[in-house]
Amino acid sequence: MRKRSIPHVELTRRRLLGVGSAMGLVAAGGITFGGKMAHHPASTGNQLVSTASLPGPYTLPLAVPKVLAPISTSGGSDAFEITQQEASAEILPGTRTDLWTYDGTFPGPTIESRRGRPVTVAHRNELPVPTVVHLHGGRTPPQDDGYPTDLVLPEGWSGEPLMPDPQARTTDVTRDYTFPMDQRATMLWYHDHRMDFTAPAIWRGLAGMHIIRDDVEEALDLPRGEQELPLMIGDRSFHADGSLMYPALDPTLREHPGVAEEYSAGVLGDVILVNGIPWPVHEVDAVRHRLRLLNASNARHYELEAITDDGHRLDLVQVGADQGLIGQPVTHESLRLAPAERYDVIVDFAGVPVGSRVRLRNRLGTGGTREVLAFRIARTARDHSHIPEILADDVPRFQRSQATALREFSFRAGQMMHGRGWVIGGKAFEPTRTDVSTSLGAVEVWRFVADVHHPIHLHLVGFRVLSRGGGPPLRQDAGLKDVISLRPGEWVEIITRFEGYRGRYLFHCHNAEHEDMGMMANLEIT
């Protein structure tokens, strides 16, 4: 990481050569891509091939996760309880799959909250390993943000931390996480964030959605009720007996982190799940629907399009990004989602004949990974929704002239203590090292440079995308984000204000295998 004065600087040939060298290091240093990178550059990683009998696409009904009921709504705040537990579910017809779950379901129950009304979630760990809960996208005090070493230990746990951290806040069996909800209405998600084992924990089922609502958004006539669909998209692969495939070096997830070498660039599944259902179908009225899209895959990227069976493409009208409503609607023919990104889009089924079908397809996939979700038009209906020309006037307008620092970070394959992995600025993660120190309220520009695909996530704050490769942002970069998708060899600039709380936070790659293999860094706000 380098800190420098703020004038704009072009990416030089030397830096571009550095990116190229890093990509060469990937090929030469044991981080392999098994040929996938050459043929499908938007899918960094290797795919596991299921041996189970798989259902045909669009034969199983979509499930919408239950909304968790609070145990208390007194004192101006809401309290919830969640038990982390082993459970089994019939994901593939006729077989049972063992999972790690929040409250026995996959995905976990959806939490709904109100802007400005604090939420406390009491988590009880009945799993065989420690856990950590991170509310992704939350403006959360550091003690509740889910730092990877802030473990909730299971009863009787006797293991030693693989990476000692004198600042770690550990608890036995239970922990109360408090989220102030002092932020714009949006869809967040919560997932396990345990040091070295985030990827396999999410793969086994530890993920759920959290929706923040407020009066501003509810005053708009966007689709709601049954016409608002939270959709967690993820990929998995299955053994013949229905159990999950995952190439962990230590299947117990107790002592030895990491995956088999050929999957160290990222683990891809060959079954696309939406809300835990493989390639589901959902009956809809012929009206507008709001699709709240979350890419909860470990490493897979998607480019989604809505297309009828006769080949007619429906518009995806973007109204929201990671951190809430964007200023004005943006219409897309297709929309790319990197791991951990969220987008709210409106799809209008009016004019699609009753009885016909609209498929949400992945243009980056092949075979089964090209299919995602289908909508079957069940009936005509009166549409009470509307997409206004102006969605929000409170999107922060950070200006480059406000920034007091420009920092640059390279995300690439590199050397860790025990072998090859993924590093930021040439350094693998170390919890006791402060990588960036900044002041509360500071506005800064950060420049990220990538070797291969890296979806970069900042904890605590949202940001605006300033530029890609020195040119303008993508149209889908509108609004306030907390994940930015870097494409191979690309450099991107973002701008943010570090506000909310002082303390230790993270920024990291959200390719979960990269994250577990060193691609995280510490941010200290003073």
Side-chain angles (χ1 to χ4, degrees):
M1 182 277 295
R2 288 182 285 177
K3 180 178 178 180
R4 58 175 72 175
S5 58
I6 197 62
H8 179 75
V9 181
E10 294 296 327
L11 193 66
T12 65
R13 182 174 180 271
R14 175 179 293 180
R15 290 182 194 155
L16 285 170
L17 288 173
V19 172
S21 298
M23 294 182 76
L25 186 64
V26 171
I31 304 294
T32 62
F33 293 90
K36 296 287 184 182
M37 195 63 189
H39 300 295
H40 302 290
S43 297
T44 299
N46 274 345
Q47 182 168 288
L48 295 162
V49 178
S50 295
T51 56
S53 177
L54 303 177
Y58 316 136
T59 58
L60 301 173
L62 176 72
V64 177
K66 70 175 182 179
V67 175
L68 189 64
I71 61 169
S72 172
T73 58
S74 62
S77 63
D78 298 321
F80 298 85
E81 289 182 346
I82 289 179
T83 300
Q84 303 168 10
Q85 60 191 108
E86 295 177 290
S88 69
E90 188 175 306
I91 295 177
L92 304 179
T95 64
R96 305 291 295 184
T97 299
D98 291 335
L99 300 164
W100 289 0
T101 72
Y102 294 118
D103 258 15
T105 67
F106 170 63
T110 298
I111 295 175
E112 292 205 2
S113 59
R114 300 290 303 183
R115 181 176 185 174
R117 184 177 174 90
V119 163
T120 296
V121 185
H123 277 266
R124 179 178 179 84
N125 181 10
E126 294 184 358
L127 293 169
V129 299
T131 61
V132 175
V133 178
H134 171 54
L135 180 60
H136 180 118
R139 285 173 51 102
T140 305
Q143 66 272 16
D144 295 306
D145 189 54
Y147 193 82
T149 56
D150 289 350
L151 304 175
V152 182
L153 305 177
E155 187 173 359
W157 178 258
S158 58
E160 293 294 327
L162 301 181
M163 191 171 288
D165 177 11
Q167 296 185 58
R169 307 175 181 92
T170 60
T171 58
D172 293 326
V173 184
T174 62
R175 185 184 186 99
D176 289 353
Y177 292 89
T178 297
F179 308 118
M181 297 291 106
D182 181 21
Q183 61 187 107
R184 306 171 77 231
T186 190
M187 187 175 80
L188 313 177
W189 65 302
Y190 61 100
H191 60 79
D192 191 73
H193 212 291
R194 176 190 170 202
M195 186 74 225
D196 298 321
F197 293 97
T198 293
I202 293 175
W203 190 273
R204 292 191 184 191
L206 290 180
M209 292 174 280
H210 184 132
I211 296 174
I212 306 172
R213 303 196 183 277
D214 69 8
D215 294 342
V216 174
E217 184 177 284
E218 289 177 349
L220 304 177
D221 293 325
L222 297 176
R224 62 186 66 186
E226 293 184 354
Q227 281 73 53
E228 179 188 19
L229 293 172
L231 301 173
M232 178 186 288
I233 303 171
D235 56 339
R236 301 291 190 274
S237 295
F238 298 85
H239 292 289
D241 63 358
S243 61
L244 289 169
M245 284 184 174
Y246 188 82
L249 296 179
D250 176 7
T252 70
L253 308 189
R254 294 177 63 91
E255 297 180 359
H256 304 294
V259 292
E261 181 179 328
E262 60 267 34
Y263 297 96
S264 56
V267 178
L268 308 175
D270 62 353
V271 178
I272 305 301
L273 305 179
V274 182
N275 294 347
I277 307 298
W279 304 293
V281 61
H282 185 61
E283 285 195 353
V284 296
D285 292 347
V287 297
R288 296 184 190 91
H289 280 67
R290 180 181 184 180
L291 310 184
R292 312 200 71 164
L293 302 169
L294 159 64
N295 181 356
S297 301
N298 281 22
R300 183 176 294 281
H301 293 242
Y302 300 84
E303 184 176 352
L304 299 179
E305 62 178 356
I307 191 164
T308 64
D309 282 339
D310 61 5
H312 176 65
R313 184 178 290 112
L314 303 186
D315 287 339
L316 302 175
V317 182
Q318 181 187 351
V319 297
D322 299 327
Q323 289 282 311
L325 293 174
I326 59 179
Q328 296 175 281
V330 179
T331 300
H332 305 278
E333 289 188 352
S334 63
L335 186 65
R336 290 201 176 200
L337 279 81
E341 279 192 303
R342 287 99 62 214
Y343 289 99
D344 277 18
V345 299
I346 307 295
V347 178
D348 191 352
F349 296 113
V352 180
V354 171
S356 62
R357 190 175 63 170
V358 175
R359 289 179 291 167
L360 198 64
R361 304 190 77 198
N362 174 25
R363 296 176 66 172
L364 303 180
T366 58
T369 63
R370 190 168 178 82
E371 308 300 327
V372 179
L373 168 66
F375 299 96
R376 189 172 301 281
I377 312 305
R379 64 194 69 83
T380 59
R382 183 178 178 185
D383 195 340
H384 299 281
S385 69
H386 172 68
I387 305 175
E389 294 183 2
I390 302 297
L391 293 160
D393 60 6
D394 63 341
V395 179
R397 299 183 181 275
F398 310 124
Q399 300 297 319
R400 189 184 291 271
S401 60
Q402 298 175 268
T404 57
L406 167 63
R407 304 180 192 267
E408 184 176 294
F409 306 89
S410 65
F411 291 77
R412 62 177 177 82
Q415 187 68 35
M416 298 176 62
M417 184 180 299
H418 302 295
R420 306 215 64 80
W422 299 93
V423 297
I424 301 175
K427 298 178 181 179
F429 180 64
E430 167 55 59
T432 60
R433 184 185 67 235
T434 299
D435 297 290
V436 177
S437 180
T438 191
S439 300
L440 188 69
V443 176
E444 297 190 359
V445 172
W446 286 17
R447 180 180 293 154
F448 301 140
V449 185
D451 55 357
V452 295
H453 268 90
H454 296 295
I456 310 306
H457 171 47
L458 269 68
H459 286 217
L460 180 65
V461 294
F463 54 79
R464 284 185 50 238
V465 181
L466 281 179
S467 68
R468 287 183 179 265
L474 299 176
R475 296 173 69 246
Q476 70 180 69
D477 291 334
L480 199 63
K481 295 180 58 60
D482 55 54
V483 177
I484 179 68
S485 177
L486 274 67
R487 297 169 294 189
E490 185 177 43
W491 63 283
V492 173
E493 287 184 320
I494 66 168
I495 186 169
T496 190
R497 175 182 286 116
F498 293 98
E499 56 189 357
Y501 305 95
R502 293 179 170 87
R504 182 175 64 163
Y505 291 91
L506 288 174
F507 61 101
H508 59 87
C509 180
H510 221 291
N511 177 315
E513 281 74 35
H514 293 188
E515 176 183 345
D516 282 348
M517 298 174 65
M519 196 166 262
M520 296 192 295
N522 278 317
L523 164 67
E524 187 75 29
I525 302 174
T526 61

